[in-house]
Amino acid sequence: MYSFMGGGLFSAGVGNILLVISTATDYWMQYHKSGSYMHHGLWRYCVPGKCMTHTDSIAYWDATRAFMILSILACFFGIIIGVIAFINYSSFNGFDKTFAAGILYFISCFFVLLAMAVYTGMTVNYYGKRYGNWRFSWSYIMGWVSVVLTFFSGTLYVYHHTHAP
């Protein structure tokens, strides 16, 4: 049964790394404008040879940033509790660590899913109408992969909790 926890812990670790990289990098969306290749992330936008910080407070960027940060934090605390459960640390006997870690992974999955849904909906609505030559990029894709990994981690931990002897 520890293989479920080990798999969940590995999946959560990779998912959290992808969440951090996705949130921090500038390749959520790429487009061509006036013959130049440009890209932007949640914090900066880049034109050829120069990157600048977003100065506008646009609600969907702010919401996406907030949900991604909350997802990273929930996954991180889930990993800490998951490691404690995995090594069977008995300092918190009245506290079901396996179930708590699984729930934190599901919460992380929910937050990143919200972030991706908000960003996707608003980006398609805005850029789909204004620019013909744009696409989502690798930072954005990492966000969707982390949805799957955090969900898988939560599933494995809750399954271990419900089927543990």
Side-chain angles (χ1 to χ4, degrees):
M1 289 304 270
Y2 278 100
S3 61
F4 288 112
M5 289 175 62
L9 204 51
F10 177 77
S11 179
V14 172
N16 206 30
I17 289 168
L18 292 181
L19 281 169
V20 170
I21 292 170
S22 174
T23 303
T25 54
D26 302 325
Y27 285 90
W28 279 61
M29 201 256 320
Q30 299 175 343
Y31 57 97
H32 291 266
K33 185 177 179 185
S34 304
S36 298
Y37 162 79
M38 298 178 224
H39 58 91
H40 76 75
L42 299 177
W43 310 100
R44 300 185 320 164
Y45 64 96
C46 301
V47 295
K50 186 162 103 173
C51 290
M52 293 152 288
T53 303
H54 289 295
T55 55
D56 299 333
S57 180
I58 298 174
Y60 86 93
W61 281 342
D62 293 341
T64 304
R65 290 178 195 139
F67 287 137
M68 291 297 283
I69 291 168
L70 288 171
S71 178
I72 290 167
L73 291 173
C75 191
F76 178 74
F77 289 123
I79 290 170
I80 290 172
I81 294 172
V83 167
I84 291 169
F86 188 74
I87 62 173
N88 205 15
Y89 186 68
S90 61
S91 170
F92 303 105
N93 282 336
F95 175 64
D96 192 345
K97 298 172 288 290
T98 307
F99 187 69
I103 294 302
L104 281 169
Y105 297 144
F106 281 131
I107 290 170
S108 175
C109 178
F110 177 70
F111 282 140
V112 73
L113 185 61
L114 280 175
M116 301 309 292
V118 166
Y119 186 85
T120 302
M122 294 304 295
T123 301
V124 168
N125 188 36
Y126 180 78
Y127 286 100
K129 294 177 181 175
R130 288 168 181 74
Y131 303 103
N133 194 11
W134 69 275
R135 66 186 175 121
F136 292 113
S137 193
W138 59 267
S139 297
Y140 172 82
I141 294 167
M142 281 185 172
W144 280 111
V145 171
S146 67
V147 169
V148 174
L149 290 173
T150 54
F151 180 79
F152 186 64
S153 299
T155 303
L156 288 175
Y157 263 77
V158 169
Y159 180 82
H160 175 77
H161 168 73
T162 57
H163 291 83

